[in-house]
Structure formats: C-alpha cells, structure tokens
Amino acid sequence: MFHFVDQILELDPGRHALGIKRVRTDEIFVRLNADGKATLLSCILGEALGQLGAWSVMAAKGFTVRPVAGVVGEVAISGEAAVGDSVLLDTTIDSVTDDAVFYHAAASVGGATVLRLENTLGPLLPMEQFNDPKEMRERFARIRHSGDSAGEPQTGGGTAAPFDLSFDEILSFESCKEATAVRALSGSEAFLRDHFPRKPVLPLSLLLESLLQLGQKLLEDSGSLYVPTGAQKVKMSRFVEPGSSLLAKVQVTERSAENALMKFRCEVNGERVCVGQAEYRAIIGENR
Amino acid sequence: MNTDTVYPKVREIIADVLAFDEEEIQRDGSLVEDYSAESIDFLDLVYQLEREFKIKIPRGMIEQEARRGVDEGEFEEHGRLTDKGLEHLRKYLSEVPEDRFTPGMQVSLIPTLFTPETFCKIVIREMEQGERAASD
C-alpha cells in the first residue's frame, strides 16, 4: 500500500484540503528514531501531504489528470509522528494551471507542526497513463466519506518486511566529504503496485529518504550524529522505472559542530533524475 | 520599460531554478544547451517569474506567438520548420544569436533557443499587458 491519506476531513477542490494519516503499528515505513521510538519516516509525511494535494486537484479536474512529483522548494522537518499518532494533513493549493499544480502544506501532530512543504510544484499528466480513473474515483469516495482505516490494513497483515532504504552498493565513500551509491529498481518492489498501477516509478519521497540516510551515514564521525532537518530545491526531472539503475552522488558542502549541508544528484544512464540539497543538525554525543 | 529593468531579477531566478551562480548566467546563453534546463525547469521558471512579477504567462505562448500570421502548413512540415517558419521564428526571437537557427530544425527543439533575454521579453510583455488590462 502506498496510499497515505486515510481520510479527507474537509475539501475545497483545487484550493484546500484537510486530511488524516494514522500511524499504525504494522506500517512498513516506520523505523526507530535515535530515542528508540517507532516513528514514521519523515518523507512519508511529505508523501501524505502530496497525496492530499493530489486528491484535491484530481477532484477539481474531474479525475482526468494527476500530479506527479516535480519540485519541492523546501521540506522542513520539525518533529516526528510516532506509532499511534494521528497526523493532521493540511494542503493549500496556490495555483493550478493546465499543466501543473503549485501548493504548500503542513503535517501536524497534537497541534505541533512536524513537517512542512513549501513552494511545491507537481506537473499534471493524463490520469489514464498512471491509474484507472474509475478506481481513483472509488478510492476518493471511500476516504472522502468514511475514511480508509477500517477496510485495508497498511501492510497486508503486518507480515511485510520494512522498506529497505539502503542502496545496493556504495561505490565510493569518503567520510564527511562525499559518497556515490547505486540502487537498481527491479520492478518487484511493493510500493510500485500503487505508485503507479499503470506506470510503476520510484516515488520521490522514498528516493529522498534514501538520500537523507546516506548523507547521515556520510556525516557520522566518531562521537557525532547528525539528523536531517530538511531539504531544499529538490527537483525530479525524470521517472525512474523498473530496470533502471540509479546512481546517487552526495557531497557534504558545509559541516560544523552544529549543522551540515549536503548536495545530492541522482542519474540514470548519465541523465539527471533528481537534484537538491539537505540540511542536518548535529546531536553530538546524544543517544549514542 | 525595457528588459534591462527586469534582467537582474530574471537572472537571479534563472540561476536559482537551474542551480547556477548568477555570474555564470549569460544573457544570450541557451537555457537548454548551456544550463541544462529540462521541461520541469521551464515549468518551475515560469511559475517563479509569475510569482515574482505578478503576471500570468500562458503556456506555450512563445511558440504560439511565433506562429502568429503564418498558416500551420507554412510554419512547419512533418514537425520541422519550413524556411518561412524559420524566418518568422528568427524575427520573433530576435534576441537569439543567428547561428542557433538551423534550417529544417524540429519544432520540438524551439525551446533550446530560449535565452534569459527571451524570458525578460516575456515578462515585460505580460507586465505591459497587465497594465493595459488594468487601465481599460
């Protein structure tokens, strides 16, 4: 399952939407944070906000088009959503044209913002290339009215293995400086079934999470640990399809005792797929 | 109003969107050839310009305007520009260095001609149009 809006609470199609994502015990995209608490991957919160924006614009456009990942001006990570939490998703569409949607959004838990997306752009493409429009309408009707929590367990009964975020192979690794890594998309990855049924492609959210984690490893040094606080100017310029081998290059451009900055670039067959930068905060000596 | 007035801001936005330093951006550089702009970058660029200058840039506007006054069959044939089409385009994109227009070039490659100055012209045109509409 790669659907993260459990229920749409309020909707003004093409303008504003409020939704809910409940973090369950059997989620695939949960991992232990530095305190040992099971929390949802930050990038999945971003994915949930993007999906809520997508529902809003798809409803406004009569399910003829759907947005795909394009540019995220800024992702700001300011908290976490733990297992058991209900995350309030709030997406505001700034403008919709024939070929793109522009929006900003925030996810909050108990009134505190945990993640924000700013200056987000999603190209709009014909729905039929990605999904069965009828299925999308039906899903929309379900989450619009009663919510999706009852019928469909998130992981098919809690038996699914957690999503593996690591790259297949680290090609080069120079601590605190730069690293290159590859990951092949085989086509059998579970998330590809929903993203998207008619055109399976690697979600930007998962790619970004992998990159943030690779950067985290790169920044780790004896006694220091850095956690991501956000990413900027993240841009997806091509789809990564099954059979592709993704080459990621991450480079630390700044590193102090307090924070760090990392640039990243991903390519498939030498062509740019995704670029951007990420920020980290040092939590030196804590929880280690 | 001329394009000098908007160029500094347009250059800043182009540099930001394409992840270059402002100093690296040449006013007559090809956004595609010299700065590796792709379709997502053009979407991003147009949106950022619209926000900054509070204008609306109709999608596909450059090509549509370049075609104005020429019949479909006269402008292109089998996806390639005719001599007349090329001449029309050259006049319309007068800021683009002559040698970048190649006879029989594919219509789909028109965006490879766009320069920062092309976008300055668009911004000015849309700002003036907005002002005209406001005073009507």
Side-chain angles (χ1 to χ4, degrees):
Chain A
M1 284 287 289
F2 204 74
H3 292 282
F4 298 104
V5 179
D6 294 332
Q7 193 172 358
I8 296 173
L9 304 175
E10 282 179 36
L11 181 69
D12 182 358
R15 291 194 182 88
H16 180 247
L18 279 182
I20 287 283
K21 158 74 187 146
R22 296 179 192 89
V23 189
R24 301 180 186 81
T25 48
D26 59 353
E27 298 260 2
I28 301 176
F29 299 101
V30 158
R31 68 166 188 162
L32 298 181
N33 69 5
D35 298 321
K37 197 169 166 188
T39 56
L40 190 64
L41 295 172
S42 295
C43 292
I44 295 299
L45 290 172
E47 178 71 40
L49 290 171
Q51 290 187 2
L52 181 61
W55 285 122
S56 176
V57 75
M58 290 187 294
K61 295 265 188 186
F63 293 86
T64 54
V65 290
R66 70 154 303 135
V68 295
V71 182
V72 187
E74 186 183 5
V75 186
I77 304 167
S78 50
E80 293 176 314
V83 166
D85 283 341
S86 277
V87 185
L88 183 67
L89 311 167
D90 187 333
T91 301
T92 303
I93 309 256
D94 300 307
S95 102
V96 192
T97 63
D98 287 341
D99 55 8
V101 55
F102 305 88
Y103 65 95
H104 64 277
S108 59
V109 176
T113 301
V114 290
L115 186 133
R116 277 187 303 110
L117 299 180
E118 300 289 349
N119 252 323
T120 311
L121 183 171
L124 294 176
L125 295 171
M127 166 82 82
E128 292 201 333
Q129 292 177 9
F130 297 86
N131 301 87
D132 176 354
K134 184 168 163 275
E135 257 177 46
M136 291 301 270
R137 282 175 190 278
E138 286 167 4
R139 175 173 290 277
F140 174 72
R142 276 204 305 281
I143 61 174
R144 180 72 187 100
H145 294 111
S146 54
D148 215 10
S149 54
E152 298 177 83
Q154 234 2 39
T155 62
T159 51
F163 173 64
D164 180 10
L165 286 158
S166 60
F167 285 86
D168 298 335
E169 192 183 350
I170 307 280
L171 302 178
S172 69
F173 193 93
E174 199 175 345
S175 183
C176 304
K177 286 202 177 125
E178 54 186 40
T180 52
V182 282
R183 178 174 183 136
L185 199 64
S186 72
S188 62
E189 292 83 354
F191 54 83
L192 294 177
R193 283 201 292 272
D194 292 320
H195 194 280
F196 300 95
R198 292 181 179 176
K199 186 178 175 65
V201 293
L202 179 66
L204 173 58
S205 53
L206 297 184
L207 174 57
L208 184 58
E209 189 75 43
S210 313
L211 291 164
L212 290 179
Q213 294 193 16
L214 180 62
Q216 194 166 357
K217 278 191 200 126
L218 189 61
L219 287 163
E220 268 181 24
D221 199 358
S222 52
S224 63
L225 176 67
Y226 289 77
V227 291
T229 51
Q232 294 88 31
K233 295 174 192 166
V234 181
K235 191 178 288 186
M236 193 90 181
S237 37
R238 277 191 180 74
F239 291 120
V240 181
E241 297 178 328
S244 303
S245 179
L246 182 90
L247 175 70
K249 302 175 185 177
V250 299
Q251 186 186 19
V252 177
T253 51
E254 279 176 49
R255 186 177 186 274
S256 71
E258 290 83 39
N259 44 47
L261 201 60
M262 174 192 87
K263 283 197 167 165
F264 55 81
R265 180 184 173 93
C266 298
E267 296 175 356
V268 171
N269 297 329
E271 293 192 313
R272 179 183 87 181
V273 160
C274 180
V275 291
Q277 63 178 43
E279 277 179 353
Y280 293 81
R281 177 172 57 85
I283 47 169
I284 302 166
E286 288 177 16
N287 311 308
R288 297 214 71 197
Chain B
M1 211 184 318
N2 68 44
T3 53
D4 290 346
T5 54
V6 295
Y7 179 63
K9 196 72 207 177
V10 171
R11 180 172 77 160
E12 183 189 323
I13 292 172
I14 288 175
D16 188 57
V17 164
L18 300 176
F20 277 84
D21 290 334
E22 276 184 56
E23 301 71 50
E24 294 176 277
I25 303 293
Q26 297 294 317
R27 202 157 166 170
D28 66 352
S30 159
L31 295 179
V32 172
E33 303 292 339
D34 299 322
Y35 309 113
S36 311
E38 302 197 6
S39 56
I40 185 73
D41 299 312
F42 282 115
L43 264 185
D44 194 8
L45 175 60
V46 165
Y47 180 60
Q48 302 301 337
L49 292 173
E50 287 182 338
R51 272 185 10 142
E52 176 62 35
F53 294 102
K54 303 193 171 42
I55 50 174
K56 272 276 161 226
I57 301 174
R59 304 301 185 257
M61 166 188 154
I62 298 175
E63 205 182 307
Q64 276 166 25
E65 295 208 348
R67 285 170 184 262
R68 192 164 292 165
V70 192
D71 288 339
E72 176 81 22
E74 283 186 316
F75 187 80
E76 62 169 291
E77 246 175 33
H78 310 299
R80 289 182 181 276
L81 285 171
T82 60
D83 289 348
K84 188 170 181 183
L86 189 72
E87 202 40 50
H88 219 78
L89 187 67
R90 190 179 278 154
K91 271 193 207 135
Y92 182 72
L93 295 176
S94 58
E95 71 284 1
V96 178
E98 285 273 324
D99 59 353
R100 294 188 200 156
F101 295 87
T102 48
M105 73 181 284
Q106 286 180 30
V107 173
S108 61
L109 292 181
I110 291 178
T112 63
L113 297 167
F114 300 167
T115 66
E117 182 68 8
T118 308
F119 283 92
C120 289
K121 281 169 65 179
I122 293 173
V123 166
I124 294 286
R125 202 173 311 140
E126 292 306 312
M127 283 170 79
E128 288 175 347
Q129 207 150 44
E131 280 165 19
R132 271 202 302 279
S135 63
D136 280 351

